[in-house]
Amino acid sequence: MSALEPRETETPAGPPVPVAPRGSVLDSGHRALSVGIVSVVLLIAFEATAVGTAMPVAARELDGISVYAFAFSAYFTTSLFGMVVAGQWSDRNGPLLPVTAGMSAFAAGLLLSGTAGAMGVFILGRAVQGLGGGLVIVALYVVVSRAYEEHLRPAIMAAFAASWVVPSVVGPLAAGTITEHLGWRWVFVGIPALVVLPLALALPAIRRTASGPADPSAPVAPWDRRRILLALAISAGAGLLQYAGQELRWLSLLPAAVGAALLVPAVRGLLPRGTVRAARGLPSVVLLRGVAAGSFIAAESFVPLMLVTQRGLSPTLAGLSLAVGGLTWALGSWIQSRPWTEPYRERLVVLGMLLVAAAIAAAPGVLLPGVPVWVVAVAWAFGCLGMGVVIASTSVLLLKLSPPEEAGANSAALQISDGLSNVLLLAAGGAAFAALGGGAVGHAVGAAASGASHPGAFAVVFLPMAGVAAVGAWVATRLRGGAEGR
């Protein structure tokens, strides 16, 4: 009998009675590991929410407003490469070294950006940071697959989601205060000091519970150089497409074509066979992750700008309108972790995607003067509830469908789908926004202040993303059954 199967007890009155598996993510065998890896996610979450607040000030001081977007895209594109490397590294040697190297690169990138004297060095630091983030996130999935029994994985994924709640509320406020009183550099150089505690907790526990290859008796597989080359191709292709989306000129077609030529074979080689056509089982799990994350993040990126330019809210109030979403996201993740939801997981995911689609479609309703602005906050709360269910459930299902020796590669595929979809849909949304008169952020704010508006520019972002999310609800009906594997 597998250690993951329910135990049975003999009773004098009849047949064996199933006994639910015991334990929790905070029992004596898991406590140190759970606190350590959740602390790592908490640190990454705080960085993600805090650095964005300081970024405009940094770009202005370093005379880099013209290449502002590359400070974000550099992180995403190198993280895609890091994800593939982490998948192979974790499957071959265990997740301990990828976590260590990833957190080290993450901290080094923050220091490089925080001490930069030119925008080029700042962007390089963001690229190093993204490489580290890609290594860490995939390696942590492998840790979960090896160190936690199947019935505990929904709970640890819910803890990952909950660790974003406080940073999403406190991070921007703390970063804004530090930037105003101490300077933007302290937001970057202060975070690396916080790396020590999570690593001190996590690394010994990972070494004890999840180090080494999944099957120590099997020969160590060589590095797959083809996958490494495909990882480079997918990173370069994503970067070129994002660049092309920001430059609305005929010459932009050239980098767009090159980017697409690099991406197509890379996606086919790095994602499970059948992902593009939503084959049942693992391919649909990976596809759904990208559809959900990409559509939601692409839409969310334009919510504060829409509230500031179209309804006259201050940036602080516009940001706070989304703050409650962190709580409902954690609630959705907690709901999917309850044991009673397991038989209904697929239906729950479908419902979650419908909530996401409805939230995205409802948000541009505030473009109508008679619609109160609190509608966005309510809609986004429900959308985040759906995302909490979907993101955590796709993680749980991926680990359930992955043999231990393939957990790294499949976790990398899930994260690649997530990250690549973010890049592509953000690029598409940004290009559509600019083409219909949205323009740059600075121009949009100025236009709003003078009374001009471009509601169509926002509608052309939100409504297609709502359609993408609705497609995700159909993909969610195909999460079980079919071939499992690559």
Side-chain angles (χ1 to χ4, degrees):
M1 175 182 292
S2 166
L4 303 183
E5 294 176 353
R7 299 183 301 276
E8 296 180 342
T9 57
E10 296 289 342
T11 62
V17 177
V19 177
R22 296 180 179 178
S24 75
V25 297
L26 290 178
D27 62 26
S28 58
H30 298 95
R31 186 181 302 118
L33 178 63
S34 297
V35 173
I37 62 177
V38 170
S39 297
V40 169
V41 176
L42 182 69
L43 179 63
I44 293 174
F46 182 79
E47 181 278 335
T49 56
V51 165
T53 302
M55 198 83 77
V57 180
R60 184 171 60 246
E61 183 176 312
L62 296 174
D63 194 24
I65 295 294
S66 61
V67 291
Y68 177 76
F70 288 100
F72 293 95
S73 61
Y75 183 99
F76 286 122
T77 53
T78 55
S79 68
L80 292 172
F81 178 73
M83 291 168 188
V84 177
V85 172
Q88 286 202 49
W89 200 353
S90 298
D91 285 341
R92 293 178 77 255
N93 307 110
L96 179 62
L97 289 177
V99 170
T100 305
M103 289 302 292
S104 299
F106 187 80
L110 283 166
L111 287 173
L112 186 58
S113 292
T115 57
M119 193 63 180
V121 178
F122 182 89
I123 292 173
L124 177 61
R126 291 287 292 166
V128 174
Q129 189 186 344
L131 177 64
L135 288 171
V136 170
I137 192 64
V138 170
L140 288 183
Y141 272 65
V142 178
V143 171
V144 171
S145 74
R146 294 190 184 186
Y148 294 86
E149 295 85 351
E150 186 174 314
H151 71 282
L152 294 180
R153 292 173 189 166
I156 194 65
M157 290 301 174
F160 281 0
S163 66
W164 282 80
V165 174
V166 174
S168 67
V169 176
V170 176
L173 179 61
T177 302
I178 292 171
T179 299
E180 182 178 349
H181 295 285
L182 298 178
W184 66 267
R185 295 182 185 276
W186 285 100
V187 176
F188 289 85
V189 301
I191 293 177
L194 304 178
V195 169
V196 177
L197 180 59
L199 289 185
L201 289 170
L203 295 185
I206 293 173
R207 182 182 293 109
R208 185 177 65 253
T209 61
S211 62
D215 184 0
S217 63
V220 177
W223 283 91
D224 188 339
R225 295 182 180 179
R226 176 177 173 273
R227 287 182 64 81
I228 298 298
L229 291 175
L230 290 175
L232 288 171
I234 203 169
S235 296
L240 287 170
L241 281 178
Q242 190 167 25
Y243 170 78
Q246 294 166 1
E247 298 289 333
L248 296 180
R249 299 179 299 173
W250 285 108
L251 288 178
S252 300
L253 293 176
L254 179 59
V258 175
L262 290 171
L263 273 181
V264 171
V267 167
R268 291 176 61 87
L270 294 174
L271 300 186
R273 186 179 298 110
T275 297
V276 175
R277 56 184 174 84
R280 289 189 176 275
L282 181 63
S284 285
V285 172
V286 172
L287 177 62
L288 178 62
R289 179 59 164 262
V291 168
S295 60
F296 188 80
I297 296 302
E300 186 179 55
S301 299
F302 286 88
V303 169
L305 182 62
M306 179 174 65
L307 293 176
V308 169
T309 61
Q310 304 302 304
R311 299 302 298 266
L313 268 66
S314 68
T316 300
L317 287 177
L320 288 176
S321 69
L322 304 180
V324 70
L327 297 173
T328 57
W329 189 306
L331 175 62
S333 188
W334 178 83
I335 290 173
Q336 66 78 41
S337 73
R338 300 299 86 195
W340 62 266
T341 65
E342 187 57 37
Y344 312 102
R345 184 173 296 280
E346 285 70 29
R347 296 179 186 177
L348 199 61
V349 173
V350 172
L351 176 60
M353 285 308 305
L354 291 175
L355 288 175
V356 172
I360 297 174
V366 298
L367 295 170
L368 302 174
V371 177
V373 294
W374 55 257
V375 167
V376 170
V378 173
W380 226 248
F382 280 100
C384 286
L385 177 68
M387 285 294 289
V389 170
V390 172
I391 297 300
S393 289
T394 52
S395 301
V396 170
L397 288 169
L398 177 111
L399 295 177
K400 185 173 185 177
L401 296 173
S402 299
E405 66 276 6
E406 296 180 10
N410 289 342
S411 296
L414 188 77
Q415 295 301 325
I416 288 169
S417 178
D418 186 319
L420 181 61
S421 182
N422 282 340
V423 171
L424 296 182
L425 290 181
L426 273 169
F433 179 75
L436 270 76
V441 171
H443 293 119
V445 173
S450 64
S453 62
H454 303 282
F458 289 98
V460 82
V461 173
F462 285 94
L463 298 182
M465 295 307 162
V468 173
V471 171
W474 170 77
V475 176
T477 65
R478 303 175 62 79
L479 300 183
R480 285 201 189 274
E484 298 175 5
R486 297 186 66 79

